[in-house]
Amino acid sequence: MKPLFVAAILCICVSSMALELEMPEIGGHILIDYLSMSQDSSYNQSGVFAGASNRFRVRKATIEIKGAAGELIEYEASFGLASCLGSGMTMALMEAGIRVSPLGDERIVLGMGMFHVRRGFELGEDCGQTLTAEKPMFRKVVSPSCHPLGAVLETDLNLGTIGGLEAQIAYANGNNGTINEEHDANFAIFYRLPVEGLTIGGFYNDLAMEMNPENEGNEDASRYGLGLDYEADGIAVRAEMIQIEGILPGMRPQGCSDTGENVENMCLLAQAGYSFNTRSEEIPLITPYLSYQSWDRWSNADSGDYEFSWITGGVKTCIGSPDTYIILDYRIPATTPDGLNEDASVLTARLGLAY
C-alpha cells in the first residue's frame, strides 16, 4: 500500500511538469537575534546540556519561491540559513515540493518533496511564526526531522455551518535519509469548530529508527498529541499534550540507564497572548505573551524525577507594518529534577523582517 501511495503521487507530479510555469512569487524571512545567557551552559534543542555564551546569531535568513503551473499544479522552494539546522553558516535547502490539486481546489492535494510535517499545532508551524520566539524545548525529540523528504496527501473541507476539516498524511524518509527499514509516517487532523478562531486536533507519528546500537536493525517509535488553538479578536491561546515513545540514544536525560527504544516522554504546552491595536502607523501592534512548557524526559521510569518545566514571557512589537517587528523574549527554568543540571535563563532580542 505504501509503495502504491508514493508511486501514484509521483506519476501525477511528473506528468504535471509539461504545463507552462507562471512567474513565481518571491519572498522570505530574516531573523537576527541577540542571546543573553544567565550561565555558561544550557540545554539545546536535543535536550543535551552543553556550553553556551552570549552572542549574536542569524536565526533564519531565507528566500522562498512559490508559483503555479497551470490551474492544478503548485510548486514551492525555500533555501537559506537557520540556526536550528545545525549547519552553521552553510546554505541549505529547507523545503521544496510540487503539489497537485486534481479537483482544482484545496479539497484534495497530492504532493512530493520536502514538506513541513504537521505534528500538532506548535510544531506544525514554521520557525519565526510561533507566538514565542522559539518552539518548545522538546521540539527536536518529537520531530528528529522537521522537513523530511517524501509524499503527502492533504485535504481541506468546508463543512458549512458545522465548521471545517483539515488533514495531512505524510510518508517520508527516516532519520537515515531513506525508507530502507526506516521511515517517518505522520497523520494529522484538525477540526475548525463553528466558533470563530477555534480549532481542535491532533496527530499520530509512526517512526522506525536506530535507537539501540547494541541491536542490529531499527526499532519502532511513535508520537501522538492532542490540542486546541484559538485565535480571534487579538486573542491567541494554545494548549497541547504530546506523548513520546522511543528516542534517539543521544537524547536520553542525565542518569537514564534505559536504551532509547524503551524511554517515554510526556510534554505539555500552554500559552496565551493578546495583540493591542495602537492605531499608530509607527507601532501598529503590540503583543505581550506568556507560555508554560513541561517536559518529563523519562515519564515511564520506575523511580526518580525527570520533569523539567519553563516559563516564557515576552512582547512582540511591530514597526511600521506587521512584517517588521522586534521581539523581547525571556525564558526561565521553573522546575528542575533533583541532581540534574538547571537550565540557563535565556533573553532573546530579535529583529525580524518578512518580505
Side-chain angles (χ1 to χ4, degrees):
M1 185 64 184
K2 293 173 183 176
L4 291 176
F5 172 66
V6 176
I9 295 177
L10 177 62
C11 292
I12 295 174
C13 293
V14 170
S15 64
S16 72
M17 296 306 295
L19 298 176
E20 182 179 353
L21 297 178
E22 300 177 4
M23 288 296 294
E25 299 178 2
I26 299 177
H29 290 83
I30 299 176
L31 308 177
I32 308 296
D33 289 350
Y34 170 71
L35 303 178
S36 178
M37 308 283 185
S38 65
Q39 58 190 47
D40 58 7
S41 296
S42 66
Y43 289 98
N44 63 19
Q45 59 185 348
S46 297
V48 178
F49 195 69
S53 58
N54 300 343
R55 63 191 183 276
F56 292 94
R57 71 174 180 182
V58 177
R59 177 62 183 85
K60 184 178 181 181
T62 62
I63 296 175
E64 300 162 7
I65 301 172
K66 294 183 179 181
E71 297 181 356
L72 305 181
I73 312 301
E74 294 183 349
Y75 61 90
E76 62 182 270
S78 173
F79 57 92
L81 312 173
S83 62
C84 61
L85 297 178
S87 55
M89 298 302 292
T90 303
M91 294 287 290
L93 180 65
M94 299 178 184
E95 293 190 48
I98 299 173
R99 285 184 166 89
V100 183
S101 303
L103 305 180
D105 54 29
E106 297 298 317
R107 287 179 295 169
I108 297 178
V109 178
L110 305 172
M112 289 189 69
M114 294 173 61
F115 296 112
H116 207 104
V117 175
R118 302 185 67 179
R119 295 178 174 92
F121 291 103
E122 189 79 358
L123 300 183
E125 290 190 337
D126 287 327
C127 296
Q129 296 183 349
T130 52
L131 182 63
T132 58
E134 293 293 343
K135 293 182 180 181
M137 297 293 294
F138 47 79
R139 58 192 180 276
K140 197 67 175 179
V141 179
V142 176
S143 177
S145 178
C146 293
H147 307 84
L149 179 60
V152 65
L153 167 64
E154 298 174 330
T155 183
D156 189 344
L157 303 176
N158 185 344
L159 304 179
T161 58
I162 62 172
L165 195 66
E166 296 178 58
Q168 183 195 67
I169 302 174
Y171 186 77
N173 291 338
N175 208 45
N176 65 354
T178 73
I179 53 175
N180 293 332
E181 298 184 356
E182 295 198 3
H183 66 263
D184 184 346
N186 194 79
F187 173 72
I189 187 166
F190 302 94
Y191 173 51
R192 298 189 300 272
L193 281 78
V195 176
E196 182 183 2
L198 181 58
T199 303
I200 59 174
F203 75 98
Y204 178 77
N205 188 202
D206 178 75
L207 299 162
M209 55 189 183
E210 185 177 354
M211 294 176 286
N212 187 353
E214 297 181 358
N215 294 337
E216 184 177 352
N218 302 296
E219 293 78 36
D220 293 330
S222 65
R223 288 96 172 87
Y224 66 85
L226 298 170
L228 65 86
D229 184 80
Y230 177 79
E231 188 170 357
D233 300 323
I235 301 172
V237 176
R238 177 171 290 171
E240 292 193 82
M241 178 280 294
I242 297 175
Q243 172 71 30
I244 299 170
E245 297 181 0
I247 61 174
L248 294 173
M251 295 180 177
R252 293 179 300 170
Q254 294 171 258
C256 178
S257 59
D258 219 336
T259 53
E261 77 271 27
N262 295 319
V263 175
E264 297 180 8
N265 287 200
M266 173 64 74
C267 310
L268 299 173
L269 174 69
Q271 59 187 24
Y274 182 76
S275 296
F276 293 92
N277 188 337
T278 66
R279 304 187 186 281
S280 166
E281 293 184 359
E282 290 77 15
I283 305 177
L285 290 173
I286 298 177
T287 306
Y289 56 82
L290 188 65
S291 176
Y292 170 82
Q293 55 179 303
S294 171
W295 182 13
D296 190 340
R297 298 186 59 190
W298 195 10
S299 59
N300 61 323
D302 293 333
S303 62
D305 174 20
Y306 290 87
E307 183 175 354
F308 295 78
S309 65
W310 296 262
I311 295 175
T312 303
V315 61
K316 177 179 179 180
T317 303
C318 297
I319 306 172
S321 74
D323 295 330
T324 306
Y325 53 88
I326 293 175
I327 291 179
L328 292 177
D329 181 282
Y330 190 55
R331 188 188 73 227
I332 61 173
T335 60
T336 302
D338 292 339
L340 301 186
N341 294 319
E342 183 176 75
D343 197 12
S345 298
V346 181
L347 172 66
T348 301
R350 172 174 296 168
L351 181 59
L353 169 66
Y355 57 90

